[in-house]
Amino acid sequence: VEKAPGPVVTEWVKLLATGAGASGMVLGQMMDLGKAGELGSLEKLIELHRLKTGQLIGMCFEAPAILAGQDRSTFAELGEQVGLAFQVKDALLDIDDGDDASFISFLGEAGTRQYLESLTEKIGASLKPMAGPGESLRQLIFYNLQRQN
């Protein structure tokens, strides 16, 4: 950070403040705390995870794009999709928790597995144009399919 140009650091701080703030992770956490009565659809569940884990991972993807002067939106969306895939896998790992507002409750176990595979393939395809660095990210997202915790 100390060697990054001032305008880049300023953008990183704005990114963190927005992503972690009232319209990002804080909003997602508020939705999560009230989820029993508020999450009546798969779309709302996806939005919750987009705001929480998606924002967190999205910031990790977006920050290097800011430094490199690349299109931030592409990387932010990619990071949000990776965060969503992580949460879908967590739902499969926590299948016995009985959470009434999870991917399992909306899609069933088989549907959730199919959704995760589809999401993973979509992310993998998005990474194909990114040669070298994209391969490491592709390995990470495919690892998510196999992880046990």
Side-chain angles (χ1 to χ4, degrees), residues 19-39:
S23 63
M25 288 187 285
V26 169
L27 178 58
Q29 186 61 35
M30 288 174 47
M31 288 174 67
D32 197 13
L33 291 173
K35 72 180 176 183
E38 300 295 320
L39 293 177

Side-chain angles (χ1 to χ4, degrees), residues 123-135:
I123 295 166
S126 296
L127 290 169
K128 276 194 177 192
M130 301 174 202
E135 182 56 34

Side-chain angles (χ1 to χ4, degrees), residues 10 19 68 109 112 135 147:
T10 300
E109 183 178 354
T112 301
E135 182 56 34
R147 69 183 174 93

Side-chain angles (χ1 to χ4, degrees), residues 81-82 84-92 103-104 107-126 138 141-147:
Q81 294 295 311
V82 170
L84 180 59
F86 182 86
Q87 288 298 325
V88 173
K89 178 62 177 189
D90 272 358
L92 289 165
F103 289 97
I104 305 296
L107 300 171
E109 183 178 354
T112 301
R113 287 187 192 287
Q114 184 177 27
Y115 181 63
L116 176 59
E117 289 172 10
S118 172
L119 188 57
T120 301
E121 290 296 327
K122 178 182 172 187
I123 295 166
S126 296
R138 198 169 24 264
I141 191 58
F142 283 101
Y143 165 77
N144 185 56
L145 282 173
Q146 306 302 319
R147 69 183 174 93

Side-chain angles (χ1 to χ4, degrees), residues 6-62:
V8 169
V9 174
T10 300
E11 287 303 310
W12 284 345
V13 170
K14 287 195 286 187
L15 173 67
L16 181 60
T18 303
S23 63
M25 288 187 285
V26 169
L27 178 58
Q29 186 61 35
M30 288 174 47
M31 288 174 67
D32 197 13
L33 291 173
K35 72 180 176 183
E38 300 295 320
L39 293 177
S41 70
L42 178 61
E43 291 75 22
K44 287 184 180 180
L45 180 65
I46 290 171
E47 178 68 5
L48 179 148
H49 290 305
R50 187 191 68 75
L51 288 168
K52 289 180 62 181
T53 310
Q55 283 286 326
L56 179 64
I57 295 176
M59 287 186 287
C60 296
F61 276 62
E62 194 172 349

